[in-house]
Amino acid sequence: MHTQSSQTIQNLINIVGQQHVLTSDNDTRLYRQGRRYGSGQVLAVVVPGTLLEQWQVLQATVNADCIVIMQAANTGLTGGSTPFGDDYDRPVVLISTRRLVGIQVINEGKQVICLPGATLDKLEKDLAPFNREPHSVIGSSCIGASVLGGVCNNSGGALVRRGPAYTELALYARVNDSGELELVNHLGVNLGETPEQILTALENKNYQSNDIINDSSCCASDQRYSYDVKQVDENTPARFNADPSRLFEASGSAGKVCVFAVRLDTFEKIPSQVFYVGTNSQDDLTEIRRFLLKDLPHLPIAGEYIHRVAYDIGAEYGKDSFMFIEKFGTAKVPAAFAMKDKVDGYLEKVGLRGLSDKVLQIVTKILPNHLPKRMNEFRDLYEHHLMIRIENQDVDHVEQYLKTYFSDKSSGNYFHCTEEEGRKAFLHRFAVAGAAIRYRDTHRSEVEDIVALDIALRRNDREWAETLPKAMDEKIIHKLYYGHFLCHVFHQDYIVQKGVDPLAMEHEMWHLLDDRGAEYPAEHNVGHLYVAKPALKNHYQKLDPTNRFNVGIGQTSKLKYWK
């Protein structure tokens, strides 16, 4: 390591202490590789303990001409908060915000201010006494996920009325055109003048209610989405990451600025019930979707789709995740992942890659079936499964519609879930998201990798079930289709045969999606997997003119000044 790098590391140690600057491969492994995709090397991982330390770390890395990667929970699926490859033109410092966990409830629970390490799980617990909820509750993006990660990536959307995570109220640092680091306070709270005053006052909640500016010109959630999703005859998707109307400063920034806090709306918790629909006809689900979005007095709360193959892979390879969350809750998931990662790192070194996954599979296989009887019966009968969460006042309306709809059809049926069935149905749907990874890791000899797409189909698209060309289909072992059906946002995971180039297949699939008028990615953001479309690339360049933060994201330039 040359002298300048050694000096940079020493400067970082002086700010946060020796134990919070990680440099060995073993210690940085958890931070350097994505949950499903992407990895690279770093000069150091720094874990600040206060907002002021985060600012000082930022100053030190910018002064040393390092690239900065901001990382919250590292639960992303497209490699968007980890280094990627080894072709950077400057040393990379990764700043992990996991210690900065503050949540401040303001405006009588109607809003919150979240610091960088705040998790959705903790936010849900903090809002429970107010009978309110965060933008997202347990979903594929929420198992251990951070609040800021959601905002920076426009993610979320399982809850139909709330749409993508969005706010115009944030406190963030950027490097301006002149290469100078500056703090931008657009949080709508008077906290002082200098970065030191602002960050210390915020962290200590050293402000009064009259310091909070409630200005209707800046919103703290997506105000249009509940209208947009209902327009089922529009020839465009309801939401996708590169939608220019949903890119604003920190929102959709994908780590191109360093966010210290966001201010967000919260939502009233609404009592609800679940219906489970099974069918062998895509037309049935199209008609049900149109009824729910056009004719129901109130928008459904959620509507999740799962194909039979995804159901089966999830039941077998997502079983331990399902049972772990059932027993311990989502708050314990990150620690479990971290422990497994340490074990995997050791096993890889001694040539036993994938052993922990195989052991977990053997253990879970002998445990009793964890899914409700009626769900498993529907799995045997029907190819397509839809879970619909409806607020109580609309339950009779939906029950009557489904009863009438299926009265003269043999293609499908429904049942009204008990509370336990409804909870388990949605948990199973979200356990599917990690099941493809487990399948790959336990079948290394026959699986090359996973091609994972998240796509937004047009709102008026009736042919939503995909049919691949035969030549492409033959290269795939399993196709897992699942997603947010009412929004027409689908997750499509393809487990690809050994010897097939997954990237080449993915690029081939992009052409098929373009022909269908789809937008992608829909909600996991570009990471290092997708190409940033012009509106998104422009957003990144405007936020980060010198290309200092999370460089190369969306397959953009990794070089200083975007050369």
Side-chain angles (χ1 to χ4, degrees), residues 277-509:
V277 178
T279 178
N280 291 311
S281 163
Q282 70 170 328
D283 294 341
D284 286 346
L285 294 195
T286 296
E287 290 310 314
I288 292 167
R289 173 178 172 267
R290 291 178 67 85
F291 159 76
L292 292 169
L293 294 177
K294 281 180 71 181
D295 303 327
L296 198 63
H298 310 94
L299 266 178
I301 290 166
E304 293 295 305
Y305 169 77
I306 182 169
H307 184 270
R308 180 190 272 153
V309 174
Y311 185 106
D312 289 348
I313 300 285
E316 187 171 349
Y317 295 91
K319 186 176 180 179
D320 60 326
S321 295
F322 181 105
M323 296 177 98
F324 185 91
I325 293 165
E326 273 273 280
K327 181 128 182 84
F328 300 109
T330 53
K332 297 281 191 291
V333 172
F337 270 120
M339 187 186 291
K340 181 179 178 296
D341 186 78
K342 274 211 173 340
V343 172
D344 288 345
Y346 172 76
L347 291 171
E348 267 182 42
K349 278 187 172 171
V350 296
L352 294 172
R353 186 182 185 192
L355 180 64
S356 69
D357 291 290
K358 287 175 179 166
V359 169
L360 283 166
Q361 277 310 112
I362 291 164
V363 170
T364 51
K365 215 175 180 68
I366 59 176
L367 294 172
N369 193 305
H370 58 298
L371 296 176
K373 183 170 178 280
R374 288 201 288 182
M375 276 174 61
N376 286 329
E377 286 169 356
F378 265 46
R379 178 261 163 237
D380 295 339
L381 291 167
Y382 306 117
E383 180 183 0
H384 305 291
H385 297 240
L386 177 65
M387 293 137 260
I388 317 159
R389 186 173 288 284
I390 302 292
E391 71 170 275
N392 283 352
Q393 61 182 317
D394 289 337
V395 163
D396 291 345
H397 196 130
V398 173
E399 179 104 53
Q400 190 53 52
Y401 171 81
L402 291 173
K403 189 180 287 184
T404 307
Y405 183 84
F406 285 116
S407 62
D408 60 349
K409 286 187 173 60
S410 58
S411 53
N413 207 342
Y414 81 98
F415 63 87
H416 188 165
C417 294
T418 64
E419 193 177 331
E420 185 187 21
E421 285 173 331
R423 181 173 51 76
K424 287 189 170 182
F426 274 87
L427 182 50
H428 177 53
R429 150 66 187 91
F430 293 117
V432 168
I437 304 170
R438 169 62 57 77
Y439 186 97
R440 176 195 67 191
D441 293 346
T442 51
H443 294 78
R444 291 276 181 187
S445 58
E446 64 225 49
V447 174
E448 187 64 41
D449 209 341
I450 302 162
V451 172
L453 300 176
D454 66 298
I455 67 164
L457 296 182
R458 296 170 300 187
R459 283 168 280 181
N460 64 354
D461 202 336
R462 290 172 178 267
E463 302 297 316
W464 51 267
E466 182 179 67
T467 308
L468 290 174
K470 189 166 182 286
M472 196 183 280
D473 205 41
E474 287 169 347
K475 297 173 183 172
I476 298 168
I477 301 169
H478 292 298
K479 301 186 290 284
L480 281 69
Y481 297 117
Y482 54 99
H484 314 305
F485 188 69
L486 301 182
C487 311
H488 259 199
V489 166
F490 292 86
H491 302 293
Q492 303 184 170
D493 295 347
Y494 308 90
I495 299 171
V496 179
Q497 288 178 7
K498 203 75 178 167
V500 175
D501 181 349
L503 271 182
M505 176 175 278
E506 179 165 337
H507 295 164
E508 217 178 316
M509 285 176 166

Side-chain angles (χ1 to χ4, degrees), residues 145-211:
S146 74
V147 178
L148 266 70
V151 171
C152 293
N153 290 300
N154 309 108
S155 55
L159 297 171
V160 185
R161 302 174 181 188
R162 300 177 197 174
Y166 180 81
T167 185
E168 293 168 1
L169 299 165
L171 173 66
Y172 63 93
R174 67 189 290 267
V175 174
N176 62 24
D177 293 351
S178 311
E180 295 158 346
L181 185 65
E182 59 185 23
L183 188 69
V184 181
N185 183 8
H186 288 170
L187 202 57
V189 185
N190 295 319
L191 295 163
E193 298 302 319
T194 67
E196 290 74 16
Q197 287 171 344
I198 291 167
L199 297 170
T200 306
L202 177 62
E203 185 146 34
N204 298 328
K205 208 178 176 186
N206 191 16
Y207 56 88
Q208 309 302 317
S209 55
N210 60 359
D211 290 316

Side-chain angles (χ1 to χ4, degrees), residues 92-164:
V92 176
V93 172
L94 190 151
I95 303 176
S96 167
T97 63
R98 63 182 176 81
R99 293 172 67 209
L100 306 172
V101 292
I103 293 169
Q104 300 173 8
V105 180
I106 60 170
N107 292 341
E108 298 168 324
K110 292 186 175 66
Q111 288 191 325
V112 287
I113 293 171
C114 292
L115 303 193
T119 63
L120 282 160
D121 182 87
K122 178 72 165 65
L123 180 54
E124 197 176 340
K125 287 185 172 69
D126 285 6
L127 288 174
F130 297 90
N131 198 39
R132 296 185 76 82
E133 294 178 329
H135 163 268
S136 298
V137 293
I138 184 171
S140 55
S141 60
C142 312
I143 297 174
S146 74
V147 178
L148 266 70
V151 171
C152 293
N153 290 300
N154 309 108
S155 55
L159 297 171
V160 185
R161 302 174 181 188
R162 300 177 197 174

